[in-house]
């Protein structure tokens, strides 16, 4: 998030800030209010002498409590001023944009209307997001049951603001969102809600609980205490209960009921993590190191061999599976596939000429089943379960 805009004021805002019980969030809210209702996070960081991570966390908390919104949003529709001839020219000359239009129409099941086409053109030309990333975004909107030009535009600005500018980053984000959607539906069923999906705010709560590694038994206990206290499911109240347990390091119902605080609190400043959190972090670090190594190899090759760099540039134009599927007509798809195959063969030959093996740039996860993500869909992979057992054994041997 780059800019925060205040949503509520006066007594209601004070009540919500009190419920949030976060000093950074309160300071950021006041800073935005003092700036006229909207403030760039960079400005807030300098004004409040607060590091960026703290400011981002505070901003997300304000959004979660309905006190603010992400102001890095698309401009009002009335500001779009596109010449139709420019759109037609781009469709003729840019195969990627043509593929994006075709893919969006395919997902909608109809031809784009003029206003929708103008919106898509503006997003593509102003945000500089690659067409294959935007196609993934269209897929994501469709899977969430909210495929419209305005939603595509809104999400595109959000993706750009979050730095989702490559196919790999966007695909990883989508996998995460798919997991959270599945987890959200599962948690709702556990709470006795079967007839709908989680709302956006509910999904954020569930994602927090998942990141904390909250077990089902703790979720059920928190739900029971929430209903007994409030007479119904109050998400904010349940979240405060779980946050309290998380800060105290409670991992079982027994620890909650007996107040057993032998386990040191789990904090981001080096405290003791749960086994699941520790293993999750280790898996993520392993993936990041592997991805960084591949990026370095690719960059070194592109810098040292202009032929490879040019081939890679051409390959990126038609590498996306989504882009291939979006091309209109069998002939167009076949032609793009033939072009990509030729570029891939050229890539292999250039690797050979540089004295490198053909799999030099391939991602090689330790676990081919989950790709070292730890989960297959919403189910824990065998490799992740094994790593958790090994971590428990290590802690037991160390007396932790």
């Amino acid at each position: 998030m780059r800019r925060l805009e205040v949503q509520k004021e006066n007594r209601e805002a004070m009540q919500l800030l009190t419920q949030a019980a976060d000093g950074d969030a309160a300071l950021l809210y006041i800073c935005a209010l003092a700036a006229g209702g909207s403030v760039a996070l960079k400005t807030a960081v300098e004004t409040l002498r607060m590091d960026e991570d703290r400011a981002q966390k505070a901003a997300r908390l304000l959004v979660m409590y309905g006190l603010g919104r992400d102001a890095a949003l698309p401009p009002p529709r009335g500001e779009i001023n596109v010449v139709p001839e420019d759109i037609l020219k781009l469709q003729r000359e840019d195969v990627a944009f043509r593929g994006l239009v075709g893919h969006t129409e395919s997902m909608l099941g109809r031809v784009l209307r003029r206003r929708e086409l103008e919106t898509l053109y503006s997003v593509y030309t102003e945000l500089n997001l690659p067409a294959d990333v935007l196609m993934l975004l269209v897929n994501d909107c469709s899977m969430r049951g909210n495929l419209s030009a305005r939603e595509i535009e809104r999400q595109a600005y959000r993706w750009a603001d979050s730095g989702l500018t490559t196919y790999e980053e966007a695909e990883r984000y989508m996998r995460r969102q798919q997991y959270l959607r599945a987890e959200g539906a599962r948690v709702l069923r556990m709470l006795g809600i079967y007839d709908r999906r989680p709302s956006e705010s509910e999904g954020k709560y569930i994602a927090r609980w998942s990141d904390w590694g909250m077990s089902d038994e703790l979720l059920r206990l928190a739900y029971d205490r929430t209903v007994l206290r409030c007479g119904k499911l109050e998400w904010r109240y349940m979240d405060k209960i779980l946050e309290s347990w998380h800060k105290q390091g409670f991992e079982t119902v027994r620890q909650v009921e007996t107040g057993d605080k032998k386990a040191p609190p789990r904090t981001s400043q080096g405290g003791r993590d749960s086994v699941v959190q520790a293993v999750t972090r280790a898996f993520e670090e392993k993936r990041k190191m592997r991805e960084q190594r591949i990026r370095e190899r690719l960059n070194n090759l592109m810098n040292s061999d202009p032929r490879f760099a040019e081939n890679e540039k051409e390959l990126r134009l038609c590498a996306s599976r989504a882009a291939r599927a979006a091309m209109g007509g069998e002939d167009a798809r076949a032609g793009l596939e033939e072009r990509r195959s030729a570029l891939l063969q050229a890539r292999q030959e250039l690797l050979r000429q540089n004295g490198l093996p053909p799999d030099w740039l391939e991602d090689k996860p330790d676990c081919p089943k989950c790709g070292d993500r730890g989960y297959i869909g919403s189910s824990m992979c065998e490799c992740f379960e094994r790593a958790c057992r090994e971590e428990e054994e290590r802690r037991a041997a160390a007396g932790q």
Side-chain angles (χ1 to χ4, degrees), residues 102-172:
H103 180 66
T104 307
E105 290 180 338
S106 175
M107 298 299 290
L108 284 170
R110 58 174 174 78
V111 175
L112 287 173
R113 301 184 181 95
R114 175 182 172 180
R115 199 61 170 171
E116 294 171 332
L117 190 57
E118 290 176 349
T119 300
L120 203 61
Y121 173 87
S122 297
V123 166
Y124 182 74
T125 56
E126 293 175 11
L127 295 182
N128 293 320
L129 290 176
D132 54 359
V133 170
L134 288 172
M135 289 175 187
L136 282 180
L137 187 148
V138 169
N139 293 345
D140 183 60
C141 292
S142 179
M143 286 188 292
R144 289 187 290 103
N146 191 10
L147 181 55
S148 67
R150 189 60 175 172
E151 180 65 11
I152 291 171
E153 184 182 38
R154 189 173 73 90
Q155 292 299 329
Y157 275 78
R158 179 172 293 178
W159 281 31
D161 191 49
S162 301
L164 301 176
T165 57
T166 69
Y167 187 89
E168 292 74 18
E169 291 168 342
E171 193 174 39
R172 187 159 52 246

Side-chain angles (χ1 to χ4, degrees), residues 54 66 220 223 265 371:
R54 284 174 57 193
R220 292 190 184 97
Y223 172 73

Side-chain angles (χ1 to χ4, degrees), residues 41 68 100 178 200 202 210 263 285-286 313 320 342 348:
L41 285 196
L100 172 61
Q178 288 167 4
E200 185 173 351
E202 291 169 348
S210 175
E285 290 174 353
K286 180 168 61 175
K313 179 181 177 181
S320 167
Q348 295 298 306

Side-chain angles (χ1 to χ4, degrees), residues 278-288 370 372-374 383-384 387:
V279 173
T280 299
R281 188 174 62 252
F283 271 51
E284 181 66 24
E285 290 174 353
K286 180 168 61 175
R287 289 199 308 273
K288 286 182 178 179
C370 71
D372 288 348
R373 291 185 293 274
C383 69
F384 195 89

Side-chain angles (χ1 to χ4, degrees), residues 9 69 79 85 96 102 123 131 135 141 155 176 186 205 223 230 236 260 273 278 303 308 321 327 341 349 361 393-394:
E9 297 183 24
R69 74 175 188 90
E79 295 183 18
E85 289 74 15
V123 166
M135 289 175 187
C141 292
Q155 292 299 329
R176 165 73 172 166
R186 189 188 69 80
Y205 284 124
Y223 172 73
C230 304
R236 287 198 189 101
D260 183 1
D273 284 343
N303 290 332
F308 186 90
R321 291 169 293 178
M327 296 300 134
S341 296
E349 177 60 23
L361 297 174
E393 293 170 359
R394 186 194 68 77

